[in-house]
Amino acid sequence: MKKNIAVIRGDGIGPEIVNEALKVLDKVAKKYGHEFNYVDADMGGCAIDKYGDPLPQHELDKCLAADSVLLGAVGGPKWDGVPGNMRPEKGLLRIRAGMGVYSNNRPAKIWKQLADASPLKPEIVEKGIDFIIVRELIGGIYFGEHKTYEEGEKISEDVMKYSESEIERIGRIGFETARKRRKKLCSVEKSNVLDTSRLWKSVMHRLAAEYPDVELSDMLVDNCAMQIVKNPAQFDVIVTENMFGDILSDEASMITGSIGMIPSSSLGATSNGLYEPIHGSAPDIAGQNKANPIGTILSAAMMLRFSFDMPKEADDIENAVSKVLDMGYRTGDIMSEGMKLTGCSEMGTLIADAI
Ligand code: IPM
Ligand code: MG
């Protein structure tokens, strides 16, 4: 099969981790006779430097024209001073909205080889950690009006807004994701305080009637944050709004050992998806061959599975990651005693070689 992939390397460790994912994709292409064409697109700080804009329309257009988009990471201290609407992160929000990818899927799964890296007690880890956070990605407070003004002092506002239809479409993804798994869906909100959450909860319960095979539960977001560390085995699929999903997915990644291991997929109405690790650009270790490329490599696997309908190829990548971890290779973030400390580039080569 022939596929065009828009590649956004971004800032910080972005270029390094993306290189490793491309190494792995090239190996898959060779093994299965596919042709993956890469089209570079600029976004984030590097696009600000080059064009004065974190995502110029011509770069977004490259992504819209592709079969899918692979993204490293954006942002860094160099652009901390720029105004809010021109920050590198704004590029990320614009590409998500521009592609219409409202559904962000973030798996929290512990690799058996990395059980020691979890900060949770072994008796909690032993019960299993294997859940997915389905995060609404193009609505809520991230996309409401933001403003700062003077009224004797500075006042800022960020509007959190959700419509029924926005909630319904992500709710359906939650139910359908649960249907393919252990059939348990936990809807997370703050309905004791927020109107948007009360609407969220009512839409989830209306949808539940259409998915009688899925068990729906509700949880307040503060309680959920607690339950994720107390008893993560209770979760199968969590569905939640944009900002809660941002926070809970970082927490969920941490209990699996390292945020560097977690991929994500973002999809909307078409098969053109956005695939990115959930971590940031880690400017402190950029350019030192220290980053963990596995989150990005697993994001490439998700691209093959969800956008290109290549499940065998995706399995191959995931199995290769497992094999390399079995062999004891570890980047710094997942290093433990007796293991072999491995650079970003070597890790990518090892995984590609294991396919
Ligand atoms: C994420 C990140 C982004 C978000 C930032 C970089 C804008 O934290 O993908 O989780 O908040 O969505
Ligand atoms: Mg985040």
Side-chain angles (χ1 to χ4, degrees):
M1 245 190 265
K2 248 191 192 174
K3 295 287 177 191
N4 293 319
I5 302 174
V7 175
I8 302 174
R9 296 164 200 271
D11 311 314
I13 57 170
E16 300 163 60
I17 54 181
V18 166
N19 273 347
E20 301 319 308
L22 298 187
K23 228 183 238 177
V24 169
L25 283 172
D26 284 340
K27 184 66 189 288
V28 168
K30 201 168 156 203
K31 177 168 170 187
Y32 288 90
H34 299 312
E35 192 182 321
F36 297 143
N37 299 313
Y38 309 121
V39 182
D40 280 313
D42 288 315
M43 187 181 94
C46 58
I48 296 175
D49 290 350
K50 207 158 159 186
Y51 305 108
D53 182 336
L55 181 63
Q57 186 65 42
H58 47 85
E59 299 304 288
L60 174 60
D61 285 344
K62 290 182 190 169
C63 299
L64 294 173
D67 293 309
S68 257
V69 182
L70 182 68
L71 162 63
V74 297
K78 182 176 173 194
W79 303 281
D80 272 352
V82 303
N85 63 346
M86 284 302 274
R87 286 184 62 91
E89 290 79 4
K90 206 67 187 182
L92 186 53
L93 300 191
R94 270 202 237 143
I95 196 175
R96 289 172 178 171
M99 292 178 70
V101 288
Y102 61 84
S103 169
N104 181 218
N105 175 323
R106 299 189 162 186
K109 188 174 172 173
I110 196 139
W111 292 78
K112 63 176 193 312
Q113 301 93 332
L114 301 183
D116 284 351
S118 173
L120 297 185
K121 290 194 190 123
E123 57 267 34
I124 297 179
V125 175
E126 267 158 32
K127 286 198 229 146
I129 301 174
D130 178 11
F131 60 97
I132 291 181
I133 297 182
V134 174
R135 168 187 177 194
E136 199 292 322
L137 202 60
I138 58 173
I141 199 164
Y142 276 51
F143 291 91
E145 195 190 345
H146 309 289
K147 59 180 177 192
T148 298
Y149 50 95
E150 261 318 307
E151 270 180 20
E153 59 178 334
K154 273 196 178 150
I155 301 177
S156 295
E157 289 177 22
D158 300 283
V159 175
M160 184 163 186
K161 187 169 157 184
Y162 269 109
S163 67
E164 271 186 289
S165 53
E166 280 176 297
I167 300 172
E168 177 168 336
R169 65 182 182 183
I170 190 70
R172 288 192 184 283
I173 303 288
F175 279 102
E176 268 147 35
T177 307
R179 190 167 253 180
K180 290 189 207 121
R181 295 173 44 98
R182 302 193 300 276
K183 301 187 170 50
K184 279 173 59 182
L185 180 64
C186 182
S187 161
V188 172
E189 30 69 4
K190 187 75 186 170
S191 56
N192 52 349
V193 178
L194 302 175
D195 263 39
T196 43
S197 281
R198 286 187 275 270
L199 184 62
W200 181 278
K201 189 173 174 180
S202 74
V203 171
M204 292 298 154
H205 282 267
R206 169 164 62 72
L207 288 178
E210 292 178 46
Y211 301 88
D213 51 322
V214 176
E215 181 197 322
L216 173 68
S217 61
D218 306 296
M219 196 177 279
L220 295 173
V221 63
D222 46 351
N223 183 29
C224 183
M226 198 165 70
Q227 295 298 328
I228 283 176
V229 287
K230 195 173 165 216
N231 177 17
Q234 72 186 288
F235 295 113
D236 178 19
V237 178
I238 288 174
V239 65
T240 193
E241 67 88 37
N242 202 345
M243 185 166 61
F244 297 161
D246 176 47
I247 299 167
L248 294 177
S249 61
D250 267 30
E251 187 193 14
S253 72
M254 204 54 235
I255 64 166
T256 68
S258 172
I259 193 168
M261 296 292 297
I262 313 286
S264 83
S265 66
S266 304
L267 284 156
T270 73
S271 64
N272 183 0
L274 175 63
Y275 295 85
E276 51 172 322
I278 78 160
H279 61 72
S281 59
D284 53 319
I285 57 164
Q288 299 171 38
N289 195 31
K290 282 184 181 164
N292 183 350
I294 295 180
T296 317
I297 290 169
L298 293 173
S299 299
M302 286 181 111
M303 172 186 289
L304 302 184
R305 191 181 300 285
F306 297 129
S307 284
F308 299 168
D309 197 19
M310 299 178 178
K312 263 190 19 222
E313 291 84 335
D315 285 347
D316 267 15
I317 297 179
E318 288 163 4
N319 292 336
V321 168
S322 194
K323 256 190 250 166
V324 170
L325 293 175
D326 279 339
M327 293 190 285
Y329 293 102
R330 302 282 188 273
T331 43
D333 57 319
I334 49 173
M335 183 61 191
S336 61
E337 227 187 292
M339 297 294 134
K340 294 172 235 179
L341 187 62
T342 308
C344 178
S345 157
E346 292 71 35
M347 185 55 99
T349 303
L350 283 161
I351 295 168
D353 288 348
I355 289 172

